[in-house]
């Protein structure tokens, strides 16, 4: 019954493993003792995970792999894990201090990678007039001889989140995943 969810988890586990093996040495730089120059996804989503853990909303969750969908209504046991892909997309590392172009308006800030080797290609943070976050979009890409992946992560506080992923693994082929959660 939960075959699609298990397949998606296995695909994401494979993604994390391959991504970890393909990371450049720059991502191993410790992030202590520096001033953050960009919006911190790690801080924001860690606080969101704590808040949602306490609030314990019911989530209507849909997992789709290559067109096969599974729907469930549940409570998330571990929001830190649920939001891990957002947290892992944080760009506040000392080695990346000048690696992103920052474009801002009164209601949004966009961070665009200047280095095509960086996994996180773009982050868009949209804010309400009162300064609170309204929407976050993250675009990640990894490409090497064995593996290519594109991820689009969207988060709307107190409303919904979504991961849309396309991955291609040599000798295995292409897969498409979508994980959507609507908070109730």
């Amino acid at each position: 019954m939960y075959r699609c969810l298990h397949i998606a988890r296995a695909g994401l586990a494979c993604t994390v493993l391959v991504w970890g093996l393909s990371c450049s040495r720059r991502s191993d730089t410790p992030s202590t003792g520096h001033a953050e120059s960009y919006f911190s996804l790690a801080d924001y989503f860690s606080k969101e995970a704590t808040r949602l853990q306490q609030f314990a909303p019911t989530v209507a969750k849909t997992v789709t792999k290559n067109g096969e969908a599974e729907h469930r209504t549940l409570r998330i046991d571990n929001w830190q894990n649920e939001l891990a892909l957002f947290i892992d997309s944080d760009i506040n590392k000392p080695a990346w201090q000048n690696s992103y172009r920052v474009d801002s308006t009164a209601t949004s800030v966009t961070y665009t990678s200047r280095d095509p080797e960086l996994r996180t290609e773009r982050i868009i943070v949209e804010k309400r007039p009162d300064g609170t976050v309204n929407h976050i979009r993250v675009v990640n890409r990894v490409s090497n001889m064995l593996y290519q992946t594109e991820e689009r992560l969207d988060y709307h506080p107190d409303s919904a989140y979504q991961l849309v992923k396309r991955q291609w693994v040599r000798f295995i082929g292409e897969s498409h995943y979508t994980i959507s959660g609507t908070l109730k």
Side-chain angles (χ1 to χ4, degrees), residues 57-130:
T58 301
V59 177
K61 191 168 182 178
T62 302
V63 177
T64 306
K65 181 184 181 207
N66 297 330
E68 185 179 331
E70 178 182 327
H71 310 281
R72 291 180 63 194
T73 300
L74 53 105
R75 291 199 192 277
I76 304 297
D77 292 332
N78 187 331
W79 278 99
Q80 194 77 23
N81 285 346
E82 190 73 7
L83 299 175
L85 287 173
F86 290 96
I87 294 168
D88 292 343
S89 298
D90 190 54
I91 59 175
N92 281 295
K93 296 193 180 3
W96 299 346
Q97 187 174 9
N98 296 310
S99 297
Y100 287 85
R101 186 181 75 235
V102 181
D103 298 306
S104 59
T105 67
T107 58
S108 72
V109 179
T110 302
Y111 304 94
T112 307
S113 173
R114 297 173 194 252
D115 182 349
E117 291 185 29
L118 293 176
R119 175 179 169 264
T120 301
E121 181 177 278
R122 178 172 294 121
I123 298 172
I124 302 168
V125 180
E126 296 173 358
K127 295 188 176 185
R128 295 179 184 97
D130 67 1

Side-chain angles (χ1 to χ4, degrees), residues 15-28 88 93 96 117-119 142 144:
T15 298
V16 171
L17 175 64
V18 173
W19 174 75
L21 294 173
S22 68
C23 286
S24 69
R25 62 180 166 74
R26 292 167 49 169
S27 65
D28 295 333
D88 292 343
K93 296 193 180 3
W96 299 346
E117 291 185 29
L118 293 176
R119 175 179 169 264
V142 175
N144 60 44

